[in-house]
Amino acid sequence: IRSSTISDGRIVAIGKGAGMIEPNMATMLVYILTDLAVPKDKLRDMLSDVVDQSFNCISVDGDESTSDTAVLVSSNQVPFEESMEKEFKTTLQRLCTELAADIVRNGEGTAHVMRVQIRNFPGSESEGRSLGRRVVNSPLFKCAVNGNDPNTGRLAGAVGSFLGRFSSEIDETKISMTLGNRRIFNKGQFVLKDDDGNDIEKELSQHMKDAEYEDTSNYPPHQKFVEIGIDFDEDSKTTTTTTVLGSDLSKEYVTVNADYRS
């Protein structure tokens, strides 16, 4: 649950999700309530835009179902002025982005949340999200993240398998990738040592350990991510930037779904 005050009104967002979570929504229920008297057509347009930037940018396991809902309703109890529209949409975007991250963090067996930030992608925003999903839904990379293993080859493999299908004209010498804000791939080559020639594996693994969390009464114990960056360094005006969140793949996830009976 997330909430925020705007002038004399409020927005409250409530979400539920655990497994079968994949962009294009999926097994997810989100109800957003406000007492501000925002016109219905504006609510509809804002919700559509915000969902694309939040709930359609998350994945727990890559599976979908027919049960997905995101609703934004107003009780019309507090006056709304046109001058408040920008603040309302900005606040709505923030709450939904935070709630989307909470849904991933509460995923079945989730111990790490990956945040893939894609910059200067030479394609549409939807295509950029597809690349992000390819990374967070890669079983091999998800398992590596769960084991705090900075397996740069699996990350590059996930990116490469998408790009091979997407376009043969991508210049890989322009692509750079980071893990934990440490550059690991640049100009077509892996960068696995620091400026002093030291192996960076321990540093990358520690970044993953710091983002890990276990069952605790104070849940969640933190809001950290395994940070992944992919930059295409393209100059075209048609490039896009997007962020996708996903979970790791744990023994607990397998146990929960292996023991499940319909």
Side-chain angles (χ1 to χ4, degrees):
I1 183 169
R2 297 277 179 164
S3 65
S4 185
T5 298
I6 300 177
S7 186
D8 294 327
R10 286 186 67 77
I11 303 176
V12 178
I14 305 166
K16 179 268 177 191
M20 296 185 73
I21 304 295
E22 166 70 358
N24 201 26
M25 297 172 63
T27 317
M28 180 193 76
L29 301 174
V30 173
Y31 299 97
I32 308 165
L33 314 173
T34 183
D35 48 10
L36 288 160
V38 184
K40 183 185 294 185
D41 59 335
K42 291 186 181 294
L43 288 177
R44 183 183 299 112
D45 290 345
M46 283 190 279
L47 180 63
S48 179
D49 290 343
V50 165
V51 162
D52 260 353
Q53 299 293 326
S54 55
F55 301 113
N56 283 348
C57 291
I58 64 175
S59 181
V60 169
D61 48 22
D63 284 316
E64 301 178 9
S65 82
T66 57
S67 304
D68 63 296
T69 300
V71 176
L72 172 58
V73 296
S74 171
S75 64
N76 294 324
Q77 296 300 302
V78 177
F80 177 81
E81 304 293 337
E82 284 193 15
S83 60
M84 300 165 60
E85 183 174 340
K86 183 177 180 180
E87 181 185 4
F88 184 91
K89 185 173 182 179
T90 299
T91 303
L92 180 65
Q93 180 71 68
R94 176 176 59 80
L95 293 178
C96 288
T97 299
E98 292 172 352
L99 192 60
D102 291 340
I103 288 175
V104 179
R105 215 171 287 282
N106 279 274
E108 291 175 344
T110 297
H112 301 77
V113 177
M114 295 177 275
R115 178 161 61 184
V116 182
Q117 299 186 76
I118 300 167
R119 298 181 177 87
N120 303 308
F121 179 72
S124 68
E125 193 169 321
S126 176
E127 290 167 333
R129 286 200 297 267
S130 294
L131 169 57
R133 292 200 296 270
R134 182 66 186 89
V135 172
V136 301
N137 286 336
S138 166
L140 284 175
F141 188 61
K142 288 164 76 77
C143 288
V145 171
N146 182 256
N148 297 313
D149 172 19
N151 196 314
T152 55
R154 292 183 181 180
L155 172 57
V159 174
S161 67
F162 174 85
L163 295 180
R165 296 179 177 87
F166 174 70
S167 173
S168 61
E169 299 179 359
I170 297 290
D171 185 356
E172 66 274 9
T173 63
K174 288 186 174 182
I175 299 174
S176 65
M177 290 189 286
T178 59
L179 180 58
N181 297 315
R182 163 73 72 172
R183 183 168 293 182
I184 59 169
F185 186 88
N186 191 44
K187 296 181 179 179
Q189 295 182 336
F190 285 105
V191 183
L192 302 179
K193 295 185 181 297
D194 61 20
D195 293 339
D196 296 323
N198 300 312
D199 197 316
I200 62 173
E201 180 179 358
K202 289 184 178 180
E203 176 187 335
L204 299 178
S205 182
Q206 187 60 51
H207 167 70
M208 292 177 162
K209 289 178 182 177
D210 289 344
E212 185 177 11
Y213 57 92
E214 300 176 354
D215 291 337
T216 173
S217 57
N218 182 27
Y219 183 87
H222 59 71
Q223 301 284 333
K224 297 178 183 178
F225 300 92
V226 174
E227 301 284 3
I228 300 163
I230 308 170
D231 193 333
F232 288 83
D233 193 28
E234 294 286 348
D235 298 327
S236 171
K237 294 181 180 180
T238 61
T239 60
T240 56
T241 296
T242 190
T243 300
V244 174
L245 305 183
S247 67
D248 59 359
L249 180 56
S250 66
K251 293 178 181 178
E252 182 183 348
Y253 178 88
V254 175
T255 298
V256 167
N257 287 281
D259 290 346
Y260 177 82
R261 293 294 181 271
S262 59

